[in-house]
Amino acid sequence: MKHKLISLFVLVFIIFSCKNETKESNSIAEPEKSNANTTESDSIKSDSAVVNSSSNNLAENKKLLLDFYLKNDKKPQYFLINNNKDTTIVCAEKTKITITANSFIVSKTQKEVSGQIKISVKEYYSISDILLGRLSTTSNGKLLETGGMLDINAVSGVEKCDLKKGKSIEIEMPKKKEKEGMQLFNGKRTNDQVNWQLAEVSINLNKVYNKVDEMPVYPGGNQVLYKTLGNSIVLPEEVISGRVASTFIVDKEGNVTNIKIIKGLSKEVDEAVVKAFKKLSKFIPGKVNGIPVNVQYSLPVNIHSDEDGNNGYLSSTSNSSEFGNYEAKKTKAEEFGSYLFKSAKLGFINCDRFLDYDESSKIDYVINFKNDSNTSVSIIFHSIKSVMTGYSNGDNVSFNDIPSGEKITIFAIKYVDNKPYLATQEAETSQQKLNNLAFEEVTPEKLKQEIKKLDRLN
């Protein structure tokens, strides 16, 4: 009997111990509860028991993350051209690339290519394409706003090709809305990131310039211009005298376009002046850094008429400062559906502009989480078309020198035990550190879908 009681006691003790172990084990998997002092940034916690990966799998997880990007990067478009002929390429997303004859040389030998060249082009205009291409919008750490990115390369057979010295390609990139200050940047990929450097010659060929290095010149000079106009203006019969304030654009080909009367005398006189401008021969175009550009031209016309009906003539100099300021306020540049640049380099090319914001508002935005699996973390700005990749430092990922108070979406991807995990969160840039990200397991297809959804932001 005594033996049975001891056995029963042991059995009860074992059962009690098992229940206690189960309860203790379950407490580890429960999410960490926030205390009364937890901030809004602390309220979202990642389940570290689920997403942590052993050190043995880190290399494999990093490889899987890289493979995901490589598989989902934009597929190149290929164009076979003749290097001995002028060629214009039109890409799937309406990028136009104009190449003049004999522009390419073999990179290794520096010899000019004769015959066919294979051009490859990748277009990155959407947020999802930029993210999947592992691209961002920074130049030496400074934030940029993009109007689109390209990756252009050329080969002859199996030999890589470059542009010959003194040659350039003309790139026309579609735009939805005009944004001032767009320039051309060249990119170089280092440590899985592309840094954008301002091109040596960065001129928006669709921009209309008021100040240039070389003003447009009429063949024969100003005196010939005045005489030609004077002989071409046919005035109405009634006697009239006065001044007509006019402007026009001399485009990069030298054509007279966009003729406007800022201040006229009468409908008949104004029409006569416009008709005379339309009859002018081509100008020698104005230039910036030796490249022909569109130039705004102001030209006041003094009209003198006598009873014999003599024609009007010009007595003022071209681009008169008297009318230049008035014209700048009243006349807008022609609206073009694209940005137009010349590039002397191939590879990564970006249409960007530096952002003008108060230096005192710049901050370092920091996200803190257990970053043990080479997580890719980016932020997408809502008000500007900008994507920034974070710099990892231990358990912190930082975004340096960005404006405070900007609404952003945080986008983070990692692989754990051969499975992709995703974290997205809307936030506002501030000096307050964001603690932890909530990762959830997704399929590769779901991951691509979530990235595509970010296109709505810009």
Side-chain angles (χ1 to χ4, degrees):
M1 183 67 179
K2 187 175 181 181
H3 178 72
K4 289 181 179 179
L5 288 173
I6 293 172
S7 300
L8 180 61
F9 175 79
V10 172
L11 179 62
V12 170
F13 179 79
I14 292 172
I15 291 171
F16 178 80
S17 298
C18 289
K19 285 184 177 180
N20 199 45
E21 274 186 17
T22 303
K23 184 177 180 181
E24 188 174 337
S25 176
N26 286 343
S27 69
I28 295 174
E30 288 178 359
E32 183 180 347
K33 294 181 180 179
S34 58
N35 57 42
N37 296 322
T38 300
T39 65
E40 183 180 352
S41 296
D42 293 326
S43 63
I44 299 179
K45 298 291 183 180
S46 63
D47 188 349
S48 59
V50 174
V51 299
N52 281 350
S53 177
S54 66
S55 58
N56 294 333
N57 291 332
L58 288 180
E60 180 64 20
N61 288 329
K62 183 176 182 180
K63 181 179 180 300
L64 287 170
L65 182 60
L66 180 60
D67 286 346
F68 170 80
Y69 282 118
L70 292 175
K71 289 176 182 176
N72 292 285
D73 190 11
K74 288 296 287 287
K75 299 298 182 286
Q77 304 163 59
Y78 293 102
F79 304 88
L80 203 59
I81 71 166
N82 189 332
N83 190 45
N84 305 118
K85 295 181 179 180
D86 293 345
T87 307
T88 297
I89 291 170
V90 181
C91 302
E93 296 181 55
K94 298 183 179 179
T95 304
K96 290 184 180 179
I97 304 170
T98 301
I99 305 166
T100 58
N102 305 312
S103 289
F104 292 101
I105 56 173
V106 176
S107 302
K108 286 183 179 180
T109 64
Q110 298 293 295
K111 291 183 179 179
E112 186 173 314
V113 178
S114 178
Q116 291 187 327
I117 296 280
K118 191 177 188 179
I119 307 291
S120 68
V121 183
K122 293 181 183 180
E123 298 172 284
Y124 301 91
Y125 289 106
S126 67
I127 293 295
S128 59
D129 286 344
I130 292 170
L131 285 170
L132 289 169
R134 295 180 297 148
L135 301 171
S136 61
T137 55
T138 54
S139 174
N140 298 326
K142 291 184 178 179
L143 191 61
L144 301 170
E145 180 174 20
T146 186
M149 308 177 187
L150 303 170
D151 186 10
I152 306 174
N153 292 283
V155 294
S156 173
V158 294
E159 296 287 345
K160 184 177 178 293
C161 296
D162 293 322
L163 288 169
K164 186 195 301 183
K165 187 176 180 180
K167 288 284 188 176
S168 59
I169 56 175
E170 192 171 279
I171 301 171
E172 189 174 338
M173 303 175 75
K175 67 180 180 185
K176 293 181 180 179
K177 185 179 179 182
E178 176 70 26
K179 293 186 177 180
E180 287 293 327
M182 284 294 183
Q183 301 181 82
L184 194 70
F185 288 75
N186 296 116
K188 184 177 181 181
R189 191 181 288 279
T190 306
N191 297 327
D192 295 334
Q193 294 194 32
V194 173
N195 181 51
W196 300 100
Q197 298 275 7
L198 188 63
E200 292 181 9
V201 178
S202 179
I203 299 169
N204 186 352
L205 298 179
N206 270 348
K207 181 179 176 180
V208 179
Y209 290 82
N210 287 311
K211 293 181 179 180
V212 291
D213 299 334
E214 300 175 38
M215 282 296 296
V217 176
Y218 195 73
N222 286 342
Q223 293 304 317
V224 175
L225 171 61
Y226 305 151
K227 184 176 180 180
T228 302
L229 280 174
N231 292 334
S232 301
I233 296 175
V234 180
L235 296 174
E237 292 183 2
E238 65 270 19
V239 176
I240 188 168
S241 296
R243 174 175 285 193
V244 176
S246 62
T247 70
F248 54 88
I249 292 171
V250 178
D251 68 18
K252 58 184 180 294
E253 280 81 36
N255 301 304
V256 175
T257 66
N258 207 42
I259 303 163
K260 295 187 179 191
I261 302 299
I262 303 303
K263 187 176 181 181
L265 290 176
S266 70
K267 181 181 179 181
E268 292 78 9
V269 172
D270 296 348
E271 288 178 351
V273 171
V274 170
K275 286 180 181 179
F277 281 133
K278 288 181 177 179
K279 293 178 182 178
L280 290 174
S281 301
K282 280 189 175 185
F283 281 67
I284 299 170
K287 294 180 180 179
V288 174
N289 289 335
I291 297 175
V293 294
N294 307 309
V295 180
Q296 188 77 51
Y297 213 96
S298 301
L299 198 63
V301 179
N302 291 327
I303 302 295
H304 291 261
S305 178
D306 55 31
E307 293 181 356
D308 295 327
N310 291 328
N311 288 342
Y313 65 90
L314 280 84
S315 59
S316 300
T317 58
S318 61
N319 224 40
S320 168
S321 60
E322 181 179 349
F323 290 93
N325 292 333
Y326 183 83
E327 170 276 319
K329 293 177 182 178
K330 297 294 183 181
T331 305
K332 293 183 179 179
E334 286 184 295
E335 288 297 324
F336 297 92
S338 59
Y339 296 108
L340 188 63
F341 294 95
K342 280 186 179 290
S343 176
K345 292 183 178 180
L346 302 180
F348 283 111
I349 294 169
N350 198 348
C351 169
D352 271 299
R353 65 175 179 174
F354 286 106
L355 291 168
D356 184 19
Y357 54 87
D358 188 359
E359 290 289 316
S360 64
S361 71
K362 291 195 306 185
I363 59 164
D364 291 342
Y365 183 65
V366 179
I367 303 171
N368 176 265
F369 66 101
K370 189 66 176 176
N371 186 21
D372 60 359
S373 56
N374 300 291
T375 310
S376 170
V377 186
S378 300
I379 57 174
I380 303 101
F381 290 80
H382 290 205
S383 63
I384 51 177
K385 195 168 186 179
S386 297
V387 175
M388 197 172 193
T389 304
Y391 291 91
S392 181
N393 180 17
D395 289 343
N396 287 335
V397 174
S398 60
F399 302 85
N400 301 329
D401 293 332
I402 62 174
S404 178
E406 288 286 335
K407 192 174 182 181
I408 59 170
T409 291
I410 302 165
F411 188 84
I413 307 173
K414 64 164 74 175
Y415 268 76
V416 179
D417 297 329
N418 302 334
K419 297 174 184 177
Y421 284 77
L422 169 67
T424 60
Q425 182 178 339
E426 287 194 1
E428 187 174 291
T429 57
S430 71
Q431 291 182 326
Q432 182 180 359
K433 184 184 293 187
L434 177 70
N435 290 313
N436 290 315
L437 292 172
F439 285 89
E440 62 175 303
E441 183 183 344
V442 292
T443 64
E445 292 72 24
K446 175 71 172 175
L447 184 53
K448 285 187 285 186
Q449 291 172 9
E450 292 300 315
I451 294 175
K452 284 289 183 184
K453 288 180 181 179
L454 295 172
D455 289 339
R456 74 185 188 280
L457 298 177
N458 281 286

